[in-house]
Amino acid sequence: MSRSEPGFDVRRIVVAFESLSAAAAALEEAAGLAARLHAELEGVFVQDINLVRLAGLPVGREIQFLTGRVRDFTADALEADTRAQEFAARRAVAAAAARARVAYAFRTTRGQVDVEVLNAADSGDLLILSPGDRLPWSSPRLDRAARAAAERAPRSVLISKPGTRAAGVPLVCYDGSAGSRRALEAGLRIFGAYEGRLAVLVLAEDAADAEGLRLQVEARLAPLGVVPRFLYGARPRAPEVCRLAGESGAGVLVMAADCPALDQPRREEVLESVACPVLLVR
């Protein structure tokens, strides 16, 4: 790759979370990627300042949804729970790093969750998030922190999905823009073209434009011995992108965070609806 090409390098992977149960899969994913990329792992445990303020109110009760157990919700009770969660989070990060044999760091921060997640992204090259816990019948919509990271994080963001891992053939959205070229590099760098296999969703205005974009991708991949599978979409709507991702067997959908062919409303709909993890490349 020449100096003019938009390279993609990852030296530190950050996992930011406020619930260890929601982040367990993302943590293992991050550790595995850190090992593959020879990167450092950083775990950031976020304490929600709104809970601290709520616990400071004179009257408060906490009701556990599954058991119906009721207890006073006080600052002391919250502090005890937070210490226990922080200890468990630190151990989980250390254990994941040990299994993957990578260096790691851990820190705790307190504030508005979405703001702290955005701040955490700035300390690494790749932020990995898992949307919060979901009830079986609840909506699949992204939580506030994941949405904020998708829209405004200063670094690339991998948003995992419950019960899935970013493993398998990557599907890269490509429209010829600098962002999509960087997305292509990210797909190659992070997922290694998955044993020489790669799928590319060409986003083109017409057949002639699609042919030119196909030739660009082939020229980049030919020296690597990668023969991609091409899919095509002309100004695709989010449901079509999700359908193509499913039909291609994509293990992860890779797109530029500023992809012109998939504007912000369409990107958000894709993030909420697609079954596989999504890597937004910056």
Side-chain angles (χ1 to χ4, degrees):
M1 184 175 63
S2 69
R3 287 180 177 272
S4 61
E5 287 296 323
F8 189 88
D9 195 20
V10 176
R11 294 189 176 93
R12 172 171 287 205
I13 298 173
V14 178
V15 183
F17 56 95
E18 60 171 327
S19 166
L20 184 56
S21 61
L27 188 55
E28 291 298 325
E29 180 122 58
L33 284 176
R36 189 187 311 168
L37 300 173
H38 306 289
E40 180 179 311
L41 174 67
E42 181 180 21
V44 180
F45 178 60
V46 180
Q47 298 177 8
D48 188 351
I49 191 64
N50 290 328
L51 287 179
V52 177
R53 292 167 178 163
L54 183 62
L57 296 177
V59 178
R61 290 292 181 89
E62 178 184 19
I63 302 176
Q64 295 184 356
F65 179 78
L66 295 178
T67 66
R69 179 185 172 191
V70 180
R71 68 170 183 173
D72 290 336
F73 185 60
T74 64
D76 289 343
L78 178 63
E79 186 64 27
D81 283 350
T82 299
R83 285 198 301 268
Q85 291 177 34
E86 181 180 358
F87 179 73
R90 186 183 297 273
R91 289 188 61 183
V93 172
R99 286 191 292 271
R101 298 183 179 182
V102 297
Y104 79 95
F106 177 86
R107 62 188 174 90
T108 299
T109 183
R110 175 179 290 184
Q112 300 285 348
V113 174
D114 53 339
V115 174
E116 295 306 318
V117 165
L118 291 175
N119 291 338
D122 213 16
S123 67
D125 304 296
L126 174 65
L127 173 68
I128 297 184
L129 290 175
S130 178
D133 290 325
R134 297 274 182 263
L135 296 174
W137 57 85
S138 66
S139 166
R141 291 180 65 84
L142 294 177
D143 61 24
R144 181 175 175 178
R147 186 178 295 107
E151 294 175 2
R152 305 193 303 277
R155 301 289 186 270
S156 297
V157 180
L158 175 62
I159 298 178
S160 64
K161 295 297 183 78
T164 66
R165 296 193 64 182
V169 179
L171 174 62
V172 179
C173 296
Y174 190 85
D175 62 3
S177 65
S180 70
R181 294 198 301 272
R182 187 169 170 80
L184 182 62
E185 297 300 327
L188 292 168
R189 172 72 174 135
I190 296 181
F191 304 105
Y194 198 68
E195 301 174 352
R197 290 184 289 156
L198 181 78
V200 178
L201 173 55
V202 175
L203 306 173
E205 294 289 340
D206 51 41
D209 187 25
E211 176 65 11
L213 295 176
R214 182 185 66 81
L215 293 175
Q216 289 179 21
V217 173
E218 288 181 339
R220 172 65 188 107
L221 300 183
L224 305 176
V226 177
V227 180
R229 176 188 174 193
F230 287 100
L231 298 88
Y232 299 91
R235 297 183 178 275
R237 294 184 179 276
E240 183 181 1
V241 174
C242 296
R243 177 183 63 79
L244 291 171
E247 291 179 356
S248 70
V252 58
L253 179 65
V254 184
M255 69 173 73
D258 59 352
C259 178
L262 291 170
D263 56 18
Q264 192 274 329
R266 289 179 180 177
R267 282 196 300 276
E268 185 169 319
E269 188 176 350
V270 168
L271 288 170
E272 292 173 349
S273 303
V274 74
C276 64
V278 180
L279 174 63
L280 290 170
V281 180
R282 290 184 170 86

